[in-house]
Amino acid sequence: MQMSFKLLLASSLAFITCFSTYIQASEPADVVFLNGQIETLNSKQPKANAVAIKDEKFIAIGSDQKIKPLIGPKTKVIDLNQQLVVPGFVDAHTHPMETIWLKESWVDARYPETPSVKQALLNIAARVNSTPRDQWIYVAGVSASENKFLEKRLPTKAELDAVAPNNPVIMANGAHMAIANSAALAKMGIKKGVTKLRHGAGVLSDKDGEPNGVITDGMGDIPGSPTPQEIARYYATDIAKFWNSYGFTSVMAITPAAAIPIMQSVSVSTPTPNIRFTASVWAAPNGEGMPKDLSIFEMPVQANPAYYRFAAIKAWVDGENDCRTGFMYEPYVGTQDTDPPGGKGTLVTNQQLAKQFSKLANQNKKISMLHCSGDAAADIGLSAYESLSKNQISNTIKRIEHFGMFQLTPEQLKRGTALKKNNFHLSSQPIWLLELVNADYENMGTARAKTGYQFKTMINAGLEPAASTDMTGIYLGNIDPFRAIYATVTRQSDMGVFEPQEAISVRDALRMWTIWPAKAAGEDKVKGTIEVGKYADMTVLTSNVFKVPKESLKDVKASMTIVGGRIVYKAN
């Protein structure tokens, strides 16, 4: 009797399975991709040759033979020609609006094309010649330019005055420090005795107390932005065009609060863009100015939630180690004229404000994102989340941006791992291995610098580092996830092989760009792997990253980028 029941149950399950397949097959797919080598990153079905898509979601995944019955008279059929296909790349932390603006409009003083202060000044002078008097001039320099320029320093206020006596000039040294000329300081109301600006920026002075032109973390205080019409264009088309060409299907778009109404408008006028936007909003670097009710940032009811979502708020606990403003326990090595007082970086958001900020996010059931670069800043972020976890409304996502990038102590790793049960996530920037390791050694010394970029250690501890470009328009090459994958797998850096024991597998490197950033945004149920029911987002690669020599990973490109089953980018 027992055996008969088991046979009956098995037969029933088989019938249900066949019936289910029949029902599915009775509705043809909108799009079918065949003849591929598909790495799903789904452990239950890791590989496939084909997928079927309907209403922009995967409805079947498997062999060509399994998928072909879903082809109807109107189904679009695409041959993948045996190319490797992976889930669509997700950028866990980026500033896309600013990127397009800097890319289009700012004077280029980016190393290595601009190798010196002398050349930077010549580039600025050329722009002055074509710019009306009193009009602002913005200049893009890469992070740690003072470590890279031939002169081993930044342009001075006096040098900027000499080339632009009648125009306010701001030169960015990465995203967390800028040099201003006298006209710019005057326009901003900065004079002797001013050391702090309204939204958290720091103002440095010379030995006589006069502003020396250095402004730290001035994102909320330095005037200037694209026009509303430009911002609308960026969100409707330009961001997607740039990110799609590198295989991205989704971005965590860190967006100033003032730009959110434009994104909301675009979400109605362009309901199906070529990339998915998850918005993280900031009002001021120190977290102030954020309304108690965050619902004003929600997308309109007419917006397509598959493409536009408000999910997070962000604040900066400190600056960044590459420009010596990351908040540290011990001073940076040596001194620079651009160092904040005390030589330990800058504290933008103190412990009390960090706690208030993370609590506000939790009360609104949104993700809290705290930027923490220095070791002292990281402890402030961890303490804020430990405090919140004891008295939270719901177990919302708690993120530290740049956790462990410049340095990571065993105690911080332990604290982060313990917070995992309370929805702790981190964003990482693996491309910085190729740009900032040398500066880390010069700025922090060997002992501290050696503890950075511990991706394997974090993964082994159960943390799932979500990779990002952190694009701001400063390093335009940071958009390339394949160079970042190359760096994490080979441990190549700008000063040779760096801590090779921290090398990770190609599969984990792909997880850093797919499922882990989806988890860090609370979106792993709809993206990050190739699974039935998830958005049909895929990236087709020019080479098989599992078979090419590790040194060739940096040369891989996106052959096609597919969003919701639509081919939004195809390489020539």
Side-chain angles (χ1 to χ4, degrees), residues 493-531:
S493 76
D494 59 350
M495 58 176 289
V497 176
F498 173 69
E499 299 299 307
Q501 75 279 3
E502 290 293 336
I504 65 173
S505 69
V506 171
R507 187 162 275 102
D508 274 346
L510 286 172
R511 290 186 179 108
M512 287 180 70
W513 288 102
T514 54
I515 184 60
W516 292 345
K519 286 184 177 182
E523 297 172 339
D524 50 306
K525 295 289 188 281
V526 292
K527 60 179 72 166
T529 59
I530 296 173
E531 292 184 58

Side-chain angles (χ1 to χ4, degrees), residues 124-359:
I124 296 167
R127 178 64 63 89
V128 170
N129 290 336
S130 61
T131 303
R133 184 187 181 100
D134 291 330
Q135 186 169 311
W136 282 86
I137 294 174
Y138 299 97
V139 186
V142 301
S143 305
S145 290
E146 70 276 12
N147 297 84
K148 297 176 169 63
F149 280 157
L150 185 64
E151 299 87 348
K152 288 288 184 180
R153 63 175 180 83
L154 298 171
T156 65
K157 179 181 72 171
E159 287 172 325
L160 294 178
D161 287 346
V163 296
N166 301 311
N167 292 91
V169 174
I170 293 282
M171 178 176 169
N173 178 36
H176 291 267
M177 177 184 285
I179 310 296
N181 70 350
S182 296
L185 294 173
K187 288 267 188 183
M188 295 173 67
I190 297 173
K191 54 189 177 181
K192 188 172 182 176
V194 174
T195 60
K196 210 73 168 165
L197 299 182
R198 179 182 175 186
H199 299 295
V203 177
L204 274 58
S205 303
D206 61 21
K207 64 182 187 303
D208 299 318
E210 293 289 345
N212 67 2
V214 178
I215 300 172
T216 61
D217 294 287
M219 297 82 79
D221 291 291
I222 294 172
S225 72
T227 66
Q229 293 78 15
E230 287 172 328
I231 296 171
R233 169 168 55 86
Y234 299 165
Y235 282 116
T237 58
D238 294 10
I239 292 167
K241 186 176 181 181
F242 192 35
W243 264 260
N244 288 161
S245 67
Y246 288 89
F248 288 103
T249 57
S250 295
V251 293
M252 172 66 90
I254 299 168
T255 306
I260 286 293
I262 302 171
M263 181 189 278
Q264 291 168 330
S265 176
V266 170
S267 73
V268 176
S269 63
T270 312
T272 311
N274 288 342
I275 201 160
R276 303 185 194 277
F277 291 105
T278 302
S280 171
V281 179
W282 64 276
N286 61 4
E288 292 187 339
M290 197 67 74
K292 290 184 178 180
D293 181 357
L294 301 179
S295 64
I296 62 168
F297 301 132
E298 295 288 356
M299 295 299 124
V301 292
Q302 309 98 303
N304 186 342
Y307 288 91
Y308 299 94
R309 174 179 173 243
F310 162 54
I313 56 175
K314 183 189 175 188
W316 284 259
V317 172
D318 63 343
E320 205 148 53
N321 291 32
D322 47 73
C323 62
R324 301 164 67 93
T325 62
F327 189 50
M328 303 284 284
Y329 284 116
E330 299 297 328
Y332 288 89
V333 173
T335 58
Q336 293 271 357
D337 290 341
T338 53
D339 285 348
K344 296 181 181 180
T346 17
L347 178 60
V348 180
T349 301
N350 63 29
Q351 186 68 74
Q352 182 182 357
L353 285 174
K355 287 181 178 180
Q356 290 174 0
F357 181 85
S358 61
K359 183 179 179 182

Side-chain angles (χ1 to χ4, degrees), residues 259-542:
I260 286 293
I262 302 171
M263 181 189 278
Q264 291 168 330
S265 176
V266 170
S267 73
V268 176
S269 63
T270 312
T272 311
N274 288 342
I275 201 160
R276 303 185 194 277
F277 291 105
T278 302
S280 171
V281 179
W282 64 276
N286 61 4
E288 292 187 339
M290 197 67 74
K292 290 184 178 180
D293 181 357
L294 301 179
S295 64
I296 62 168
F297 301 132
E298 295 288 356
M299 295 299 124
V301 292
Q302 309 98 303
N304 186 342
Y307 288 91
Y308 299 94
R309 174 179 173 243
F310 162 54
I313 56 175
K314 183 189 175 188
W316 284 259
V317 172
D318 63 343
E320 205 148 53
N321 291 32
D322 47 73
C323 62
R324 301 164 67 93
T325 62
F327 189 50
M328 303 284 284
Y329 284 116
E330 299 297 328
Y332 288 89
V333 173
T335 58
Q336 293 271 357
D337 290 341
T338 53
D339 285 348
K344 296 181 181 180
T346 17
L347 178 60
V348 180
T349 301
N350 63 29
Q351 186 68 74
Q352 182 182 357
L353 285 174
K355 287 181 178 180
Q356 290 174 0
F357 181 85
S358 61
K359 183 179 179 182
L360 173 65
N362 182 255
Q363 288 172 336
N364 285 268
K365 297 185 178 180
K366 297 298 176 184
I367 299 167
S368 171
M369 297 171 64
L370 290 174
H371 162 119
C372 304
S373 287
D375 54 0
D379 280 340
I380 288 174
L382 290 167
S383 294
Y385 292 151
E386 287 165 347
S387 175
L388 175 62
S389 297
K390 295 172 184 175
N391 185 25
Q392 57 183 351
I393 290 175
S394 61
N395 199 18
T396 51
I397 293 172
K398 306 158 187 69
R399 289 178 41 157
I400 289 185
E401 312 306 302
H402 323 302
F403 183 76
M405 289 301 93
F406 297 109
Q407 72 283 316
L408 179 65
T409 69
E411 179 61 25
Q412 287 170 343
L413 178 68
K414 183 179 178 181
R415 294 175 72 187
T417 304
L419 276 168
K420 185 69 179 173
K421 66 179 182 295
N422 287 303
N423 229 341
F424 174 71
H425 292 268
L426 63 105
S427 80
S428 62
Q429 294 68 41
I431 195 76
W432 290 353
L433 275 164
L434 300 176
E435 298 162 345
L436 296 175
V437 171
N438 186 62
D440 289 346
Y441 271 79
E442 292 183 2
N443 289 333
M444 298 190 297
T446 301
R448 285 182 288 182
K450 281 168 66 71
T451 69
Y453 308 97
Q454 296 182 56
F455 299 121
K456 187 171 185 177
T457 294
M458 287 192 283
I459 292 169
N460 288 345
L463 298 177
E464 298 172 326
S468 78
T469 65
D470 195 14
M471 285 292 292
T472 58
I474 295 298
Y475 281 104
L476 295 178
N478 283 11
I479 190 71
D480 189 343
F482 302 103
R483 290 180 66 241
I485 289 170
Y486 157 78
T488 55
V489 172
T490 66
R491 296 298 293 188
Q492 285 292 334
S493 76
D494 59 350
M495 58 176 289
V497 176
F498 173 69
E499 299 299 307
Q501 75 279 3
E502 290 293 336
I504 65 173
S505 69
V506 171
R507 187 162 275 102
D508 274 346
L510 286 172
R511 290 186 179 108
M512 287 180 70
W513 288 102
T514 54
I515 184 60
W516 292 345
K519 286 184 177 182
E523 297 172 339
D524 50 306
K525 295 289 188 281
V526 292
K527 60 179 72 166
T529 59
I530 296 173
E531 292 184 58
V532 171
K534 289 191 175 185
Y535 298 145
D537 298 346
M538 299 181 288
T539 303
V540 185
L541 310 187
T542 56

